[in-house]
Amino acid sequence: MVTVITKTIGPTGRDYTTFTLAEAAVESIATAEFGGTDLVTADGAIVFEADAGTYSENFTISNSLTCDPTRNVTYQSAAGGQAVVGNAAPSAIIKITEGAFTTLRRLTIDSTSTSTSIRGVEVFPASGKTCEGCLFDSLTMENPTNVNFTAIELQLESSASAGGAGSATNPTVIKNCVELGAGNGLG
C-alpha cells in the first residue's frame, strides 16, 4: 500500500506559503520521509494540497525523484476550494523541466501576461531529463486577452532523452481541462 505524505500550501499555518517553496522541498521531504529519492522503492507519494486563494507566482518543477503513476508528486487544490496560480510572468506559469509522473489536479492557472510567448503549463525537459507520465487533471487555464497564450505546451529539446515529454508506455495525459479566454489550448 502506497504511503502518502500530505503537505499543505497556504498563507497561514500551513507547511509552505507558496508552490515555489513546496517544490524546493520535494527532495528533502522524500529523503526525510522515505529515506531517499526513490519513491517507487519506498512505495511512497507526496501530495501538496493548496488552500483556496490566489498564489501570485510562477514556478518550475525540477526534481530527480524516481516515480511511477502511483508513487509520485501531486500538486492540487484542497477539497472544497480552488487554488489559483498565476501572474503576469512572460513565460510559463508552471514549467516542468524534470519531474516524471508529476500530477497537477484541480488548479486554476491564470495568466495576465501580454508577452508574445506565454504558457499556462509548459513541459520542457532539460537536456537528458524526462517528464514522461505527467497527468494534468481538471485544470482551468485562462488568459482573458492574449492571443499568444497556450494553455498546455509540450516541448522537446533536441538533446532530451529517456521519454522526453511522454512516451508510448508513459504518455503525458491531459483530461477534464478547460482553456478560457484568448489563445490556444495545446501547443
Side-chain angles (χ1 to χ4, degrees), residues 86-154:
N87 64 20
S91 59
I93 300 299
I94 301 174
K95 184 174 186 174
I96 304 173
T97 61
E98 182 177 13
F101 300 98
T102 296
T103 297
L104 302 176
R105 182 176 286 124
R106 296 187 317 267
L107 299 171
T108 293
I109 298 156
D110 185 17
S111 168
T112 55
S113 175
T114 58
S115 170
T116 58
S117 180
I118 181 66
R119 281 115 16 237
V121 175
E122 178 183 31
V123 180
F124 194 0
S127 179
K129 306 301 181 187
T130 182
C131 298
E132 67 179 339
C134 291
L135 170 62
F136 307 132
D137 182 13
S138 303
L139 302 179
T140 300
M141 284 142 307
E142 55 191 358
N143 183 305
T145 58
N146 190 344
V147 296
N148 297 308
F149 177 72
T150 301
I152 298 174
E153 186 166 282
L154 306 177

Side-chain angles (χ1 to χ4, degrees), residues 37-51:
T37 59
D38 186 339
L39 296 183
V40 176
T41 299
D43 203 18
I46 301 168
V47 174
F48 291 103
E49 291 195 340
D51 288 349

